[in-house]
């Protein structure tokens, strides 16, 4: 599911988005394409939708049918309008969304991967929702990894729906056999535990902690933990941050960790070939950084490893805190050419509401869109031991730069950058110098 989201929007889709930007209307918070907007600026009240139908595109594997039904039930009761949910597949979704947004009759509300909001906003296909930000938030503090990429040039173009993040998944039995009986609470303790696991399992193809060199989602955690960043905005321009002293410190520590605890072969690999869950299932590693669905994937690949054998914990950082994590997930965007702006905003408000987030979204297994809902789930005692670590990790979440050009840097650029450092093909400083130039020129096009 998360893998599908990560690879769904490729370079072809981004190119299509940018190519269509000239024929798409610019996002405007006061856009009234359908002429139905009678609400006061900044407020979202239930409009009269009798006789109307709202079209919502939802991605397969995202919110459950039960959650969508709960949203639609309240929406229909409050407005009198009907909802038509159209479930979309991941294949070629970027091109499909871009094409739909450029038509005069697009879907009204669209489920968009959080890191891809800026791309569709850049094409002019999404409505500017800035004036309604507080009304959508409903007193909640949205998770940074969901809202930050939805803010483009200080304007809001989508509303957080749900999140998913990564933690350490480890084999309790393998660790116990090495004398480690509890999850580590510090970076030094983690390394000491891995040293014990490594000593107990000396085979050259065994990784006490499998961390592929191209796995930049995980690699960025070390850079963020050290205070570095991918890029920041200064005087209206993006400035790449990989050469900063903070980023260099984090990158060097990541290289040392990767080279020490992961197999040599992994230095030039990503998580898919071979699949890191299969590596775990085959007993070739005792730990990975993974998403929550990977727990089930490991057990399915090797039924002898039950879910009870698998533990989780938020990755501790050298900073003394847990490492910041990349937050995957979805946001709700409203098509700028939607004929029903007011109805669309009201539907999204319900979907983002504390009621839906604290009950339905959590029940679906996702991390809710706000820190308040996340804490409520942790305090409620309903999460499993394995789920708890993912909700804890989401407290400190990050995202990619909110630039319409970002996606062109992800693949293969970010993979190659981290691989060159892990393999020793380039020093952290040399790799950062050339990569900073590429990031700057791309983001500022």
């Amino acid at each position: 599911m998360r893998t599908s989201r990560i690879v769904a929007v490729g370079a072809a889709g981004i190119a299509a988005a940018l190519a269509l930007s000239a024929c798409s209307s610019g996002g405007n918070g006061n856009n009234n394409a359908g002429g139905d907007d009678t609400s006061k600026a900044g407020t979202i009240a239930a409009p009269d939708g009798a006789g109307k139908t709202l079209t919502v595109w939802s991605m397969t594997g995202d919110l459950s049918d039960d959650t969508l039904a709960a949203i639609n039930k309240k929406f229909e009761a409050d407005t009198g309008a009907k909802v038509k949910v159209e479930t979309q597949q991941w294949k070629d979704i970027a091109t499909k969304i871009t094409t739909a947004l450029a038509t005069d009759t697009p879907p009204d509300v669209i489920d968009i991967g959080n890191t891809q909001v800026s791309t569709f906003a850049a094409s002019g296909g999404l409505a500017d929702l800035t004036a309604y930000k507080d009304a959508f938030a409903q007193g909640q503090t949205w998770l940074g990894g969901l809202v930050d990429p939805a803010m483009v040039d200080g304007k809001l173009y989508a509303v957080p729906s749900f999140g998913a993040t990564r933690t350490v998944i480890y084999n309790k039995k393998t660790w116990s056999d090495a004398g480690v009986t509890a999850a580590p609470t510090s970076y030094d303790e983690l390394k000491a535990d891995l040293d014990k696991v490594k000593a107990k399992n000396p085979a050259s193809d065994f990784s006490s902690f499998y961390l592929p060199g191209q796995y930049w989602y995980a690699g960025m955690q070390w850079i963020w933990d050290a205070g570095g960043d991918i890029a920041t905005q200064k005087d209206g321009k993006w400035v790449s941050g990989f050469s900063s002293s903070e980023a260099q410190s984090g990158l060097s520590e990541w290289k040392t960790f990767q080279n020490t605890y992961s197999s040599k072969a992994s230095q030039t690999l990503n998580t898919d070939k071979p699949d890191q869950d299969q590596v775990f299932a085959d007993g070739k590693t005792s730990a990975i950084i993974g998403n929550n669905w990977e727990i089930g994937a490991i057990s399915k690949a090797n039924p002898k490893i039950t879910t009870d054998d698998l533990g989780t914990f938020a990755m501790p950082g050298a900073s003394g805190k847990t490492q910041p994590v990349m937050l995957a997930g979805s946001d709700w965007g409203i098509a700028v050419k939607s004929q029903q702006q007011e109805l669309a905003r009201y539907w999204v408000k319900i979907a983002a509401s504390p009621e839906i987030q604290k009950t339905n979204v959590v029940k679906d297994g996702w991390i809710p869109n706000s820190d308040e809902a996340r804490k409520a789930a942790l305090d409620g005692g309903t999460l499993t031991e394995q789920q708890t670590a993912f909700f804890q990790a989401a407290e400190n979440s990050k995202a990619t730069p909110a630039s319409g050009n970002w996606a062109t840097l992800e693949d293969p650029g970010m993979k190659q950058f981290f691989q060159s450092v892990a393999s020793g093909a380039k020093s952290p400083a040399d790799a950062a110098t050339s990569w900073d130039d590429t990031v700057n020129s791309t983001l500022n096009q």
Side-chain angles (χ1 to χ4, degrees):
M1 236 172 339
R2 294 301 97 199
T3 302
S4 298
R5 174 181 299 285
I6 290 168
V7 303
V9 184
I14 302 308
L18 297 178
L20 284 171
S21 64
C23 60
S24 298
S25 299
N28 188 324
N30 296 318
N31 180 276
N32 189 19
D36 72 344
D37 195 346
T38 59
S39 61
K40 294 181 180 179
T43 64
I44 304 176
D48 181 1
K52 297 181 179 181
T53 299
L54 191 78
T55 300
V56 176
W57 276 15
S58 177
M59 295 307 303
T60 183
D62 279 4
L63 296 185
S64 68
D65 290 342
D66 287 346
T67 295
L68 290 170
I71 297 169
N72 294 341
K73 181 179 180 180
K74 178 169 177 54
F75 174 83
E76 293 178 356
D78 290 352
T79 67
K82 299 297 183 181
V83 181
K84 181 182 181 182
V85 175
E86 297 181 348
T87 303
Q88 304 299 315
Q89 303 302 313
W90 288 105
K91 183 176 175 58
D92 299 325
I93 188 59
T95 301
K96 187 173 184 179
I97 290 176
T98 303
T99 302
L101 289 174
T103 68
D104 291 329
T105 56
D108 302 293
V109 179
I110 302 178
D111 176 2
I112 303 173
N114 60 324
T115 62
Q116 304 305 333
V117 174
S118 58
T119 297
F120 299 117
S123 76
L126 297 179
D128 178 356
L129 306 176
T130 310
Y132 305 93
K133 184 177 180 181
D134 289 344
F136 282 123
Q138 300 164 77
Q140 304 291 287
T141 304
W142 287 331
L143 298 178
L146 293 178
V147 67
D148 289 350
M151 298 290 296
V152 182
D153 295 329
K155 296 180 179 180
L156 180 72
Y157 285 95
V159 174
S161 173
F162 68 84
T165 192
R166 299 170 177 83
T167 69
V168 178
I169 302 171
Y170 71 105
N171 190 316
K172 292 181 178 179
K173 186 176 186 303
T174 303
W175 283 34
S176 178
D177 290 344
V180 182
T181 57
T185 59
S186 72
Y187 190 65
D188 287 341
E189 186 180 352
L190 169 62
K191 292 190 292 182
D193 290 345
L194 293 176
D195 287 338
K196 295 177 182 178
V197 174
K198 186 176 181 180
K200 184 71 173 180
N201 301 272
S204 60
D205 62 345
F206 180 84
S207 301
S208 52
F209 197 116
Y210 188 69
L211 188 66
Q214 291 188 17
Y215 194 9
W216 71 268
Y217 297 101
M220 277 306 305
Q221 294 184 192
W222 271 261
I223 291 179
W224 283 324
D225 184 58
D229 212 339
I230 295 175
T232 56
Q233 281 192 306
K234 183 177 181 181
D235 298 328
K237 290 188 176 182
W238 288 101
V239 179
S240 184
F242 291 96
S243 292
S244 71
S245 59
E246 294 85 358
Q248 284 292 295
S249 175
L251 192 60
S252 295
E253 181 58 39
W254 169 79
K255 172 182 168 64
T256 299
F257 187 94
Q258 198 280 337
N259 286 184
T260 302
Y261 300 113
S262 196
S263 65
K264 185 173 180 59
S266 72
Q267 293 175 5
T268 57
L269 300 176
N270 199 3
T271 60
D272 54 344
K273 295 178 182 180
D275 185 278
Q276 69 170 8
D277 301 333
Q278 190 64 56
V279 173
F280 196 118
D282 290 341
K284 298 300 184 180
T285 186
S286 74
I288 60 173
I289 291 179
N291 294 281
N292 58 356
W293 53 266
E294 293 184 67
I295 293 172
I298 292 168
S299 296
K300 183 177 181 180
N302 184 356
K304 292 182 179 180
I305 301 177
T306 68
T307 54
D308 290 339
D309 294 326
L310 302 176
T312 60
F313 58 87
M315 180 71 185
S319 66
K321 303 177 181 178
T322 58
Q323 289 184 347
V325 294
M326 177 81 73
L327 195 65
S330 278
D331 289 6
W332 292 111
I334 297 175
V336 74
K337 292 186 177 181
S338 165
Q339 300 298 303
Q340 302 172 124
Q341 297 286 313
E342 195 174 4
L343 283 170
R345 287 196 293 269
Y346 191 71
W347 190 94
V348 172
K349 179 182 178 182
I350 296 172
S353 68
E355 294 77 17
I356 291 293
Q357 292 292 319
K358 291 179 180 179
T359 54
N360 300 82
V361 170
V362 173
K363 186 177 180 180
D364 283 351
W366 300 117
I367 296 168
N369 65 3
S370 73
D371 200 46
E372 291 82 359
R374 182 191 65 82
K375 290 178 179 177
L378 286 169
D379 295 340
T382 59
L383 300 178
T384 66
E385 179 182 348
Q386 293 167 338
Q387 286 179 310
T388 297
F390 291 96
F391 278 66
Q392 290 172 334
E395 180 178 10
N396 188 6
S397 62
K398 298 285 189 178
T400 54
S403 164
N405 298 323
W406 163 252
T408 61
L409 292 170
E410 288 194 24
D411 190 4
M414 287 289 280
K415 295 177 183 177
Q416 293 176 342
F417 169 71
F418 277 92
Q419 172 184 318
S420 69
V421 175
S423 66
K426 292 183 179 180
S427 69
D430 288 343
T433 297
S434 58
W435 184 233
D436 276 342
D437 289 340
T438 300
V439 172
N440 287 331
S441 61
T442 302
L443 294 185
N444 292 308
Q445 285 179 1

